[in-house]
Amino acid sequence: MKRKNGVRGLLAILLFVTVIIFTQCSSSKNTTKFDEGELKNMIENKSFKFVAERTEPLRLKPRYLTSQYDVIVNKDSLISYLPYFGRAFQAPINPAEGGIQFTSTDFSYEIEPAKKDSWNVSIKPGDQRDIQKLYFTFFNNGTATLNVTLTQKDAISFSGRIEKIK
């Protein structure tokens, strides 16, 4: 009887260790570590792409995104292709206009150094009535967060990574 319990315990430990190893291997993200100067140049030159991997709606559970969603920032344009999950206070007239999808050519752009190895960027589109503010936090390890404040919808947050524009 003791031998069966010992084998079961050993199998349980082995299974636990295997699950931990596979979880750690599969959760390693495809991030690029930037040196401080490289990240600073991308941010100051308004030349980067934020790729959303996870979303945290205000009143819903967080979820991982399975499709490619991003925000591209150039010197003269801001292109957003993000999903929206949450409470909308006014539905769009055209159902194809769901999510946070827009192109802006009139926006303010403010940079603020944050704690060690991070930067805060605040973008306020002037030609989008539904979008109040996009607030990014970029880290030198290639990860980033985005908080979006909207006029007719609850706020939503995204986490993901920053990439160079190709």
Side-chain angles (χ1 to χ4, degrees), residues 19-89:
V19 168
I20 296 278
I21 290 172
F22 280 117
T23 303
Q24 292 300 318
C25 290
S26 67
S27 68
S28 64
K29 295 190 175 163
N30 199 7
T31 58
T32 305
K33 184 158 176 82
F34 296 102
D35 62 19
E36 186 173 342
E38 187 177 18
L39 181 62
K40 183 178 178 182
N41 285 338
M42 288 171 52
I43 294 169
E44 286 179 347
N45 293 331
K46 298 180 190 176
S47 180
F48 61 86
K49 178 180 182 179
F50 169 77
V51 178
E53 297 173 340
R54 186 170 190 247
T55 180
E56 295 184 29
L58 186 63
R59 301 172 198 253
L60 301 172
K61 292 181 181 178
R63 61 176 70 178
Y64 285 95
L65 301 172
T66 57
S67 297
Q68 172 95 15
Y69 294 103
D70 54 32
V71 176
I72 299 172
V73 177
N74 288 310
K75 289 184 180 190
D76 58 350
S77 66
L78 168 67
I79 303 165
S80 173
Y81 180 71
L82 295 171
Y84 181 78
F85 305 99
R87 183 176 178 191
F89 301 106

Side-chain angles (χ1 to χ4, degrees), residues 20 27 46 69 83 91-92 102 108 127 133 136 141 165:
I20 296 278
S27 68
K46 298 180 190 176
Y69 294 103
F102 66 90
S108 67
D127 54 0
K133 184 178 181 182
F136 291 94
N141 67 357
I165 294 180

Side-chain angles (χ1 to χ4, degrees), residues 5 17 27 44 61-62 78 88-89 96 113 135 139 149 154 156 160-161:
N5 287 339
V17 169
S27 68
E44 286 179 347
K61 292 181 181 178
L78 168 67
F89 301 106
Y135 187 80
F139 303 94
T149 307
D154 279 344
I156 188 168
R161 65 184 188 277

Side-chain angles (χ1 to χ4, degrees), residues 87-102:
R87 183 176 178 191
F89 301 106
Q90 182 178 2
I93 295 172
N94 181 357
E97 295 175 356
I100 305 170
Q101 301 173 19
F102 66 90

